[in-house]
């Protein structure tokens, strides 16, 4: 970013990036609450649904590995616009799908282009925001998750209930086109990193990024965090509805309450991370998150209030550890290799989410009456993953100097 940009334009850029995050997060997240529509529509069970969810994440993981070979060699603005436009196209194709195979193919395409957007957005934030303010900046961008759950997921459920499960995909594609125009107008050229990297071969850049011990620990930490979450997340809606905890009409409240809570707490967590330390805040949130992980997977029909309180705590904890984690990860990378590192990180996260979705689907069983069993097994696995992540986080060091311009 040009140093001459005003604070107002910097904020506008952050909210634009948050909007881009919002659209592809909603595109991914709404698959989970749409689970009852899709499983009944195609006559599939939890294991098959887990594979459908993981199709996006596995594709995003493969895309991230490929993107790591070129992401630091182009102006980040141009790259963002191209990838985002293609993401919008494949999201629209999801809405056109009339078969399981067609939906699977469209999800693979959306994941291939959408999976890189998160890493690219985080790289841009790390490039343009000084380290001492980066926690707050990441908090602004990470509010996209909260807004996605408050507005995006309930809206997707509303559209699906009235116009079928295809309609939410068309809506996301339309929003993406509007945000694409905003990004083209607001985002400056971001090419200060290009010359230094172009002087090196792709293989050399990848080797430098992957050979760094600190990078390795940070990537494993990131993968462990996402694995521990996505053993549980894809099956919350199926479990809550199938086991009579919430009705289909009450399900939007789960995302509305959780989203509103994280919308309030994400920026607070970011500011607190700046004060007490990103790494310390991350480790605190990892420990705290083990409680809602188990409560969610042991939930019974104890009433609407208890169910919403548990799910809201789950949303707060999961988002609360992501905010400091992204600040830690962006600082763990060498500045000149940050784009490559963050893209590889996005790939590792996507692969971990895909693997966790498949493993979670294998652990959870579906009974003849539609109830899900052994969900707590996925919770135990999530707690173990959180513990491993806590241990790895303590071994990550950070580069706190701003990137040279």
């Amino acid at each position: 970013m040009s140093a001459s940009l005003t604070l107002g334009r910097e904020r506008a850029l952050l909210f634009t990036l948050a909007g881009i995050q919002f659209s592809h997060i909603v595109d991914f997240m709404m698959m989970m609450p749409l689970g009852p529509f899709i499983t009944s529509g195609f006559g599939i069970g939890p294991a098959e649904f887990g594979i459908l969810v993981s199709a996006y994440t596995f594709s995003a993981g493969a895309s991230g590995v490929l993107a790591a070979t070129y992401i630091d060699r182009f102006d980040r603005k141009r790259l963002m616009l191209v990838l985002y436009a293609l993401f919008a196209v494949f999201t629209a194709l999801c809405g056109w799908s009339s078969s399981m195979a067609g939906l699977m193919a469209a999800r693979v395409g959306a994941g291939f282009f959408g999976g890189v957007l998160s890493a690219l957005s985080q790289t841009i934030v790390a490039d343009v925001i000084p380290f001492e303010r980066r926690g707050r900046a990441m908090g602004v961008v990470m509010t996209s998750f909260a807004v996605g759950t408050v507005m995006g997921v309930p809206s997707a459920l509303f559209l699906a209930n009235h116009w079928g499960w295809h309609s939410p995909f068309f809506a996301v594609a339309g929003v993406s086109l509007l945000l694409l125009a905003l990004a083209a107008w607001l985002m400056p050229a971001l090419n200060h990193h290009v010359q230094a990297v172009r002087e090196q071969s792709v293989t050399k850049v990848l080797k430098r990024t992957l050979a760094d011990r600190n990078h390795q620990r940070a990537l494993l930490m990131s993968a462990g965090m996402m694995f521990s979450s996505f053993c549980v997340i894809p099956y919350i809606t199926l479990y809550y509805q199938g086991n009579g905890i919430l009705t289909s009409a009450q399900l939007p409240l789960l995302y509305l309450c959780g989203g509103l809570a994280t919308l309030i707490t994400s920026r607070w967590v970011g500011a607190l991370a700046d004060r007490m330390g990103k790494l310390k805040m991350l480790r605190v949130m990892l420990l705290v998150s083990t409680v809602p992980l188990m409560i969610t997977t042991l939930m019974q029909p104890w009433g609407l209030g208890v169910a919403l309180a548990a799910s809201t705590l789950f949303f707060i904890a999961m988002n609360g550890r992501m905010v400091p984690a992204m600040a830690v990860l962006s600082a763990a990378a060498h500045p000149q290799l940050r784009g490559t590192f963050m893209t590889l990180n996005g790939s590792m996260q996507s692969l971990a989410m895909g693997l966790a979705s498949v493993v979670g689907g294998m652990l959870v069983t579906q009974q003849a009456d539609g109830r899900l069993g052994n969900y707590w097994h996925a919770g135990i696995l999530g707690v173990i993953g959180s513990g491993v992540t806590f241990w790895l986080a303590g071994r990550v060091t950070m580069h706190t100097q701003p990137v040279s311009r």
Side-chain angles (χ1 to χ4, degrees):
M1 177 187 290
S2 170
S4 63
L5 285 178
T6 64
L7 183 60
R9 197 167 183 86
E10 179 184 294
R11 289 174 179 170
L13 175 59
L14 285 177
F15 283 106
T16 300
L17 292 173
I20 292 172
Q21 289 267 58
F22 164 84
S23 60
H24 81 81
I25 285 173
V26 170
D27 177 72
F28 172 66
M29 282 187 58
M30 68 185 182
M31 281 295 293
M32 275 73 85
L34 291 178
F37 295 92
I38 295 174
T39 53
S40 62
F42 291 115
I44 59 176
E48 293 84 358
F49 180 68
I51 294 173
L52 184 59
V53 170
S54 67
Y56 184 104
T57 56
F58 281 139
S59 178
S63 174
V65 173
L66 178 62
T69 66
Y70 64 77
I71 193 169
D72 280 329
R73 295 173 175 269
F74 296 96
D75 183 304
R76 301 206 200 284
K77 175 181 180 178
R78 293 182 181 179
L79 196 57
M80 173 67 83
L81 296 179
V82 171
L83 292 174
Y84 195 40
L86 291 170
F87 161 79
V89 169
F90 277 95
T91 298
L93 289 176
C94 291
W96 284 109
S97 301
S98 58
S99 67
M100 181 71 174
L103 180 58
M104 181 77 74
R107 295 307 293 160
V108 168
F112 190 82
F113 296 108
V116 184
L117 296 176
S118 180
L120 191 53
S121 297
Q122 293 154 9
T123 301
I124 291 170
V125 171
D127 278 352
V128 304
I129 305 297
F131 180 77
E132 61 270 15
R133 290 193 288 113
R134 202 173 295 158
R136 289 182 177 86
M138 287 293 182
V140 171
V141 175
M142 292 300 294
T143 56
S144 56
F145 173 82
V147 176
T149 52
V150 171
M151 297 175 57
V153 175
S155 296
L157 285 169
F158 175 83
L159 292 172
N161 279 316
H162 288 79
W163 293 286
W165 65 263
H166 304 78
S167 57
F169 293 105
F170 292 128
V172 171
V175 170
S176 298
L177 291 177
L178 293 175
L179 288 167
L180 184 68
L182 276 175
W185 174 50
L186 285 171
M187 196 177 299
L190 293 166
N191 54 14
H192 57 268
H193 59 284
V194 172
Q195 188 58 42
V197 175
R198 281 186 176 175
E199 294 173 356
Q200 306 177 44
S201 68
V202 171
T203 303
K204 186 175 181 180
V205 173
L206 281 173
K207 283 184 177 180
R208 279 188 62 196
T209 305
L210 290 172
D212 187 284
R213 292 287 187 181
N214 192 56
H215 288 180
Q216 293 171 9
R217 290 189 291 268
L219 290 171
L220 288 174
M221 179 201 80
S222 181
M225 182 177 64
M226 301 311 295
F227 183 90
S228 66
S229 299
F230 274 80
C231 292
V232 172
I233 289 175
Y235 307 100
I236 291 177
T237 304
L238 291 174
Y239 180 76
Y240 271 51
Q241 183 171 335
N243 290 48
I245 298 168
L246 293 178
T247 66
S248 59
Q250 293 171 332
L251 281 176
L253 291 175
L254 184 151
Y255 295 95
L256 180 63
C257 293
L260 283 173
T262 53
L263 184 62
I264 295 170
T265 60
S266 60
R267 296 185 70 176
W268 173 77
V269 170
L272 188 58
D274 285 338
R275 290 199 299 270
M276 68 182 288
K278 282 79 169 172
L279 186 57
K280 184 177 180 180
M281 189 66 184
L282 170 60
R283 300 188 90 191
V284 168
M285 293 308 301
L286 283 167
L287 290 178
V288 169
S289 68
T290 60
V291 176
L293 269 172
M294 289 309 304
I295 292 176
T296 298
T297 58
L298 292 169
M299 182 61 55
Q300 298 298 318
W302 293 324
L304 177 63
V306 175
L308 292 181
S311 60
T312 299
L313 180 61
F314 181 87
F315 277 100
I316 291 172
M318 294 303 108
N319 188 69
R321 63 190 200 172
M322 279 295 293
V323 171
M326 295 319 301
V328 169
L329 288 166
S330 68
H334 287 290
Q336 294 300 331
L337 299 172
R338 186 173 286 138
T340 302
F341 173 83
M342 294 301 287
T343 305
L344 286 172
N345 173 64
S347 179
M348 287 288 288
Q349 288 184 340
S350 295
L351 292 172
M353 288 189 291
L355 180 60
S357 297
V358 172
V359 173
M362 295 171 64
L363 293 174
V364 176
T365 59
Q366 187 171 35
Q367 302 170 11
D369 60 358
R371 295 171 60 85
L372 299 188
N374 296 331
Y375 193 29
W376 66 274
H377 291 179
I380 290 291
L381 189 58
V383 169
I384 294 172
S386 297
V388 173
T389 304
F390 180 92
W391 178 77
L392 287 167
R395 284 149 181 79
V396 173
T397 57
M398 296 181 287
H399 305 279
T400 59
Q401 295 303 314
V403 65
S404 59
R405 290 179 168 79

